[in-house]
Amino acid sequence: MLDVKQCLGECEERMELSVMHLEETLSHIRAGKANVHILDELRVNSYGSMVPVNNVAAITTPDARTIAIKPWDKSMFKVIEKAIIDSTIGIMPENNGEIIRLGIPPLTEERRKQLAKQCSKEAEESKVAIRNARRDGIEKLKKAIKDGLSEDVEKDAEADLQKIHDKMIKKVEDLLAAKNKEIMTV
């Protein structure tokens, strides 16, 4: 017979993972302020293997509009610069021989709207994943009735699942609202 608590726990875990994925995705979207996370996806060739740029350099944000990259090995300057130029970051690096600087340009109104739309799309995908987790949980509960689970227990579990769903959807909407506020703030 189905363990109702375990079923609810699994569904909640899937929903949590979806929310965490959304948080991670939104942190990589550039919102006009310097954020070291925009370099997380950047890989550079270091001694024959592709590694994240933060494994070969110190990355800091000295001010709100600048990212400073200080490679630990002088030979990495050209490699890091080329990786930044070839990436989708869209910022031209400035190299003074000591530090590679990325000047974060202010966003245009059109670009802000594009980013807000992209964030909304990511949030919607997250909501769909949460709804799918709820649907799968409800299907498991309905199948469990045939295996001897009482209908009252199933209805209570379904109500609990709906509460978890609503809580996760609220988290997604809060994350989206915070990111949109960050993007639209000039």
Side-chain angles (χ1 to χ4, degrees):
M1 191 149 92
L2 180 77
D3 181 7
V4 175
K5 278 194 166 65
Q6 183 183 353
C7 178
L8 290 175
E10 288 170 4
C11 291
E12 185 169 16
E13 188 177 342
R14 278 181 58 194
M15 292 177 188
E16 274 291 346
L17 286 172
S18 180
V19 171
M20 285 167 45
H21 178 264
L22 177 66
E23 264 182 292
E24 178 75 18
T25 305
L26 291 180
S27 75
H28 289 92
I29 294 177
R30 185 163 61 93
K33 285 197 296 248
N35 181 352
V36 295
H37 289 297
I38 67 170
L39 298 173
D40 284 354
E41 303 292 313
L42 195 63
R43 302 261 185 247
V44 293
N45 187 347
S46 174
Y47 302 109
S49 61
M50 298 304 278
V51 296
V53 73
N54 59 3
N55 286 8
V56 295
I59 303 171
T60 57
T61 53
D63 61 63
R65 294 253 178 241
T66 310
I67 296 176
I69 305 166
K70 187 171 172 74
W72 296 311
D73 182 0
K74 296 279 186 203
S75 66
M76 293 304 294
F77 273 99
K78 291 270 184 259
V79 178
I80 292 172
E81 272 189 301
K82 182 167 176 10
I84 292 170
I85 291 168
D86 293 345
S87 73
T88 59
I89 295 170
I91 301 171
M92 201 63 188
E94 301 167 20
N95 178 356
N96 67 3
E98 291 289 315
I99 292 176
I100 298 171
R101 280 195 173 77
L102 296 179
I104 309 294
L107 296 173
T108 63
E109 188 64 31
E110 184 179 325
R111 182 71 177 134
R112 287 178 196 281
K113 287 178 181 168
Q114 284 176 342
L115 289 173
K117 200 179 279 185
Q118 181 183 349
C119 291
S120 296
K121 185 172 156 269
E122 294 291 344
E124 191 54 45
E125 286 175 12
S126 190
K127 287 179 183 178
V128 166
I130 290 169
R131 288 184 200 116
N132 287 343
R134 177 187 61 182
R135 186 198 62 224
D136 294 346
I138 289 172
E139 284 175 8
K140 275 186 187 173
L141 291 169
K142 293 220 184 287
K143 283 181 185 164
I145 290 177
K146 294 175 185 155
D147 297 336
L149 185 71
S150 76
E151 286 188 25
D152 290 344
V153 173
E154 187 268 342
K155 288 291 179 206
D156 291 344
E158 218 175 287
D160 291 343
L161 191 57
Q162 184 63 40
K163 284 179 188 163
I164 295 168
H165 166 270
D166 294 344
K167 184 176 80 176
M168 295 299 166
I169 293 290
K170 173 98 173 78
K171 275 187 184 179
V172 167
E173 288 171 352
D174 291 346
L175 284 171
L176 178 63
K179 188 64 178 185
N180 278 339
K181 185 178 179 215
E182 182 184 337
I183 288 170
M184 290 304 177
T185 303
V186 179

